[in-house]
Amino acid sequence: MTSDQEPNCGAENETSDGLKTYGAVLQALRDDANLTQEEFAPLVQYSVHYIAKIEQGKRFPPRDLPQRLEPVLGRLAAKVLKAAARSLNRKRGLAAWFQQWAALEEEALALYTYECRTIPGLLQPEPYIRALFARRLPPLSAEQIDRQIAARLERQELLRARPNTFFSFIVEECLLERRLGGAEVTAAVIDHLLQVGRWLNVEVQLMPLRQEDHAGAGGQLYLAEMRPNQWIGYMEGHDRSSLITDAAGVSPMLQRYGKMRSQALSHDATMRLLELRRGAL
């Protein structure tokens, strides 16, 4: 028997970015399982109409949907949907298209990051964050910039709050060469990398400016290891993102990241190079 009723589900015309994000995640998980709405709805004991409204971002999802979904789509899918549900109440400042990944970060056993565009968000000092958002188009107001900075700095608390989570970062050396925001901002970036690089749960590797054998030509990628030993991939660009949950999609990302770790400078060599670059500024 299906149901459209759930306490505190909210109005049908609720169309916040958080609801749209949740709906998009639910649809992606359902599509990944090759289930239509008509096939999926009775399996989780809700009507087709209700599931359709949730996927469209027009109905607030029931609290127990991840639990109902787990026997149908599996434990990993339930974890992803729970993370998306937390995005409905996350603090302002995190983009809707990023919120499901930010929620997954909070439960990950390990996080791998390769960045070729900007210094990874978890490693950005405040001057660099400000420089990034001051150059954003369309322009942001001063209040919006301050909100973005506060949200990103709060997210960075993960590095200290989760000492048993391993954080691996591969960063292109060219990002330091670019000197976004000027020499002072770049100095702040290097100082921050040197500080965070001393923490036992953080590994930072620079990819040299000249590297003929480079497995990262496809662009930036993020990976999270979730219990029980399952991996999720993530990619983003130009205010859009893609969450990869199927093993066939994540496997190539893991292979590329593993290859890049062998191609980049070691953590110790990276720290030495950062000290040299800091002295040269």
Side-chain angles (χ1 to χ4, degrees):
M1 181 176 179
T2 61
S3 171
D4 287 324
Q5 303 301 318
E6 179 70 20
N8 301 317
C9 282
E12 180 156 329
N13 62 356
E14 177 68 63
T15 57
S16 70
D17 286 342
L19 289 178
K20 291 178 181 178
T21 297
Y22 185 98
V25 171
L26 176 60
Q27 181 177 349
L29 293 171
R30 177 179 58 74
D31 288 345
D32 190 55
N34 293 317
L35 291 173
T36 65
Q37 289 179 346
E38 290 74 15
E39 293 168 333
F40 174 74
L43 295 176
V44 293
Q45 299 181 354
Y46 282 106
S47 72
V48 175
H49 173 78
Y50 190 36
I51 293 299
K53 291 296 184 182
I54 293 173
E55 291 187 357
Q56 293 165 10
K58 295 180 178 179
R59 288 291 293 269
F60 206 89
R63 290 185 297 273
D64 66 346
L65 185 54
Q67 287 74 32
R68 296 195 188 195
L69 174 143
E70 184 170 347
V72 181
L73 302 184
R75 185 176 179 183
L76 180 59
K79 278 182 171 288
V80 171
L81 199 62
K82 286 178 183 178
R86 287 197 298 275
S87 77
L88 297 176
N89 298 312
R90 291 191 65 83
K91 295 180 180 179
R92 297 170 66 189
L94 291 181
W97 48 266
F98 179 74
Q99 287 175 349
Q100 70 266 39
W101 177 255
L104 288 170
E105 286 180 329
E106 296 174 359
E107 293 188 6
L109 301 175
L111 283 164
Y112 292 176
T113 300
Y114 165 63
E115 267 294 356
C116 53
R117 310 162 306 170
T118 62
I119 301 299
L122 288 174
L123 296 179
Q124 295 172 3
E126 183 172 345
Y128 187 84
I129 303 171
R130 186 172 296 278
L132 278 176
F133 286 111
R135 290 159 176 78
R136 188 175 178 86
L137 294 173
L140 301 177
S141 68
E143 181 183 355
Q144 288 173 319
I145 292 174
D146 288 342
R147 192 160 61 238
Q148 295 282 358
I149 291 172
R152 188 155 298 184
L153 291 176
E154 181 180 351
R155 176 174 159 245
Q156 291 177 6
E157 290 299 314
L158 280 175
L159 298 176
R160 287 191 180 277
R162 298 188 62 85
N164 299 120
T165 295
F166 175 62
F167 296 86
S168 170
F169 300 94
I170 300 174
V171 184
E172 290 289 340
E173 185 183 355
C174 65
L175 298 179
L176 300 176
E177 188 75 12
R178 181 176 298 156
R179 296 194 180 188
L180 179 73
E184 289 187 7
V185 172
T186 302
V189 170
I190 294 176
D191 288 343
H192 189 64
L193 292 177
L194 287 170
Q195 176 188 354
V196 175
R198 289 193 281 269
W199 300 349
L200 295 179
N201 63 330
V202 177
E203 179 183 80
V204 181
Q205 295 180 260
L206 287 178
M207 184 67 76
L209 285 170
R210 293 179 178 84
Q211 177 56 270
E212 294 182 3
D213 186 16
H214 194 330
Q220 55 80 35
L221 63 88
Y222 296 74
L223 290 156
E225 182 185 10
M226 312 297 293
R227 291 186 177 87
N229 298 318
Q230 293 176 302
W231 288 86
I232 297 176
Y234 174 78
M235 296 180 293
E236 67 177 37
H238 292 280
D239 299 341
R240 297 291 184 273
S241 66
S242 177
L243 203 66
I244 300 94
T245 59
D246 61 296
V250 176
S251 178
M253 299 175 71
L254 281 166
Q255 294 179 41
R256 293 168 196 151
Y257 196 88
K259 184 67 172 179
M260 282 190 287
R261 288 182 74 179
S262 70
Q263 295 166 337
L265 298 176
S266 69
H267 178 75
D268 290 342
T270 293
M271 295 296 106
R272 290 193 294 270
L273 179 58
L274 288 171
E275 289 172 352
L276 289 173
R277 278 191 165 274
R278 182 64 175 88
L281 285 174

